[in-house]
Structures are given as C-alpha cells and as structure tokens.
Amino acid sequence: RWGMNVWHKLAAIPYVSPASDRLLATTFLLFAGILLAGLFFHIRDEHQSVVYVGKYTVLTCCLITYPIIGEIWEYTGANYISTGGMLLSILSCYYLMTRQKIRITDLFLVGIGMTLPMSSYEAGVAFYITLVCAILFYQYCAWGDKQHSNQYWRGAVVYAIPLIIALCFRIGIGSLLRKILHLEKIQVGGAAVYWGKYPFSDLIRKTIIDTFLNYFINGIVYLPITIFLVAIICLICYIVYKIVSEKRMIVCVGGILLILSAFILSAVQGSFMAYRT
C-alpha cells in the first residue's frame, strides 16, 4: 500500500491528525457525491431541461449519508484516502465518458490517476468496478436499445484498460521501492489473497457462508444492509421486467455483473471483506 504514503505527502497531513483528516475526507466525499449525480445526469438527461436534475440529488444524498461510512470513519488518519479514492474513481469514469474519441493517451492518463486508489485501500478499486458496472448497466441495458447492446462489452474494455495500467504501476513501483530501500514484502490489514494458500473448497464455503450471514442475516437487524438487500431485490425485479418486456439478455448479464461487483473484493481475495463496496 505504498500509495498511502503518497496521499499523506500530497495532503501534507500528519498520519495522526483526526481533525484535518476528517475535514479533507468530508470535502472529498461531498465532491464525489455531487460529481456522481452529474455523471448519471450526463448519461441520461444531458439534452433535457435542468428541471429534471432533482432526481439525481438522491444519488448524492445516498453517497454522503451512507450509514456504513461511520465504520470507514474509524480509520483515523486515513479517511480522506478512502473518500479520495471514491472521488478519483468518479473523475476517471467522467473523463472517459465525456471523450468524443478515446485515445491511448486518455487511457494512460486515467490509469495514472487510478494508481493511487490501486496502491492504497483495495476498496477504492472495488468502488471503481461497481461504478463502471452501474454506468454500463444504465447506459446500455436500462436506457439503451438492442442496437447498443454490443457497445456494452466495448465500454467494459475501455474502462478496464486503465485499471490494468494502474495495476502494472502498483506492482512495478512497489517492487522498485522494495528493491531500492531493501524492504521485505508484507501484507497489511485485509490485503492478502488466500487462493492457493488453503484448500479451494474450504475457502469458497467459508466465503459464501460469511457473505450470507453478513448480508442476509444481518439485513434483518442492521438497517444499512436492509436497504442494500431491498435495493438488490428491486433491481432483480426491474431486470426481470426488462427481459420479459424487451427480450434483451444483455440486461440480465449487466444486472448480474452489477450485483456481483459489490462482492468483487471478497471473490478476488478469497475471504469475506465486510461491506467494502
């Protein structure tokens, strides 16, 4: 997680400085919420009257009042890194979406921007992936037509390339730093990937059971997860309606990928990562 040191240097905030950290974190979160609304407004209503923007305010409110943000706020000294990763993810998607023609330099530039979230908290990358899945779903599945279905996969590739570039930078720079500074490779927090270290059947069973307990059983008593489950149920009903009415399988594929993206971090690491997305 060498990127976290870069964040601290850029922000010029001491690691243990709760007031400065939370002020900057709140600022990043507010900007991220506003830009999120602008991003989806651009997808759908860019040629309509500004009168229609009221519904997109809900997106901003959902992000900046998300109850589990209280759990993230326990990471004193690094909250602005979490919300900064959200902001960079939204900016990256907004940049790619508004290009009339995507060039290699655009992909490379976004890849550099996503290197900080990639080399900091893993949840920042999970946020980017879920955001991309949401963009593609609403752009080509919910509001698109059959003629635009093939563009879904083209769009997925465009958004994936910067993430691959960022991963290369993370590995390359991290390896170089360890070599120059003679540092041993260590794993911090929940950054370990357990696939291959333990029996596959044990990992998959434990991950599925933990996910079920935390997302379904906890949904009975934990309001933020209850809201999450209701949202998933509503989305599934919407997907079924679109499939029946329009007979477009890309809606099913895009919807399933959107739902599964919320659990992508647990799937990649082979262990339950509580509420990271």
Side-chain angles (χ1 to χ4, degrees):
R1 292 174 171 173
W2 56 266
M4 297 183 70
N5 292 308
V6 179
W7 277 107
H8 289 309
K9 293 297 181 182
L10 289 175
I13 293 178
Y15 189 78
V16 182
S17 179
S20 301
D21 167 43
R22 296 187 179 188
L23 175 62
L24 188 57
T26 304
T27 303
F28 283 164
L29 186 63
L30 288 172
F31 275 115
I34 294 169
L35 284 172
L36 184 69
L39 187 150
F40 280 91
F41 175 77
H42 177 81
I43 294 176
R44 178 61 173 167
D45 293 326
E46 59 176 339
H47 301 301
Q48 294 188 19
S49 169
V50 180
V51 175
Y52 293 93
V53 304
K55 55 189 175 184
Y56 297 103
T57 306
V58 175
L59 282 173
T60 300
C61 293
C62 284
L63 188 65
I64 65 176
T65 64
Y66 184 42
I68 296 179
I69 205 71
E71 295 185 7
I72 298 176
W73 244 235
E74 294 303 315
Y75 293 97
T76 303
N79 294 306
Y80 74 96
I81 297 177
S82 295
T83 56
M86 294 179 181
L87 180 58
L88 280 176
S89 295
I90 296 173
L91 281 171
S92 297
C93 292
Y94 211 135
Y95 180 83
L96 290 175
M97 184 186 301
T98 54
R99 299 299 96 186
Q100 293 184 347
K101 184 178 180 181
I102 302 294
R103 305 179 186 276
I104 296 178
T105 51
D106 295 324
L107 298 174
F108 192 78
L109 183 63
V110 174
I112 294 176
M114 284 303 299
T115 300
L116 270 182
M118 175 67 75
S119 55
S120 302
Y121 282 127
E122 293 73 22
V125 180
F127 180 88
Y128 176 86
I129 293 173
T130 298
L131 178 61
V132 167
C133 288
I135 290 171
L136 294 174
F137 179 80
Y138 287 104
Q139 202 166 18
Y140 300 117
C141 301
W143 296 328
D145 52 38
K146 291 183 179 180
Q147 295 179 349
H148 293 92
S149 296
N150 293 333
Q151 295 183 18
Y152 179 96
W153 301 111
R154 180 180 177 274
V157 171
V158 168
Y159 286 109
I161 291 175
L163 212 56
I164 296 172
I165 294 173
L167 178 61
C168 292
F169 274 117
R170 170 184 174 164
I171 295 173
I173 295 175
S175 300
L176 185 63
L177 287 173
R178 285 198 305 271
K179 185 175 182 180
I180 293 175
L181 301 176
H182 305 290
L183 301 174
E184 293 184 5
K185 184 177 180 180
I186 61 173
Q187 294 172 335
V188 181
V193 176
Y194 294 97
W195 299 113
K197 297 182 179 180
Y198 301 96
F200 177 82
S201 58
D202 292 345
L203 284 179
I204 195 74
R205 182 175 63 253
K206 188 176 186 306
T207 302
I208 291 175
I209 291 175
D210 288 346
T211 300
F212 177 80
L213 291 175
N214 282 273
Y215 281 92
F216 292 91
I217 303 302
N218 275 7
I220 300 175
V221 295
Y222 192 19
L223 183 60
I225 302 304
T226 306
I227 296 172
F228 177 79
L229 287 177
V230 170
I232 286 183
I233 293 171
C234 292
L235 180 58
I236 291 174
C237 292
Y238 178 77
I239 292 170
V240 172
Y241 166 75
K242 293 287 284 187
I243 292 174
V244 172
S245 61
E246 300 181 8
K247 295 180 173 59
R248 297 173 60 220
M249 289 308 299
I250 191 65
V251 177
C252 179
V253 174
I256 291 174
L257 290 177
L258 174 55
I259 293 172
L260 292 180
S261 68
F263 307 96
I264 189 68
L265 203 56
S266 297
V268 169
Q269 298 189 197
S271 62
F272 173 68
M273 306 296 290
Y275 317 138
R276 290 298 181 97
T277 307

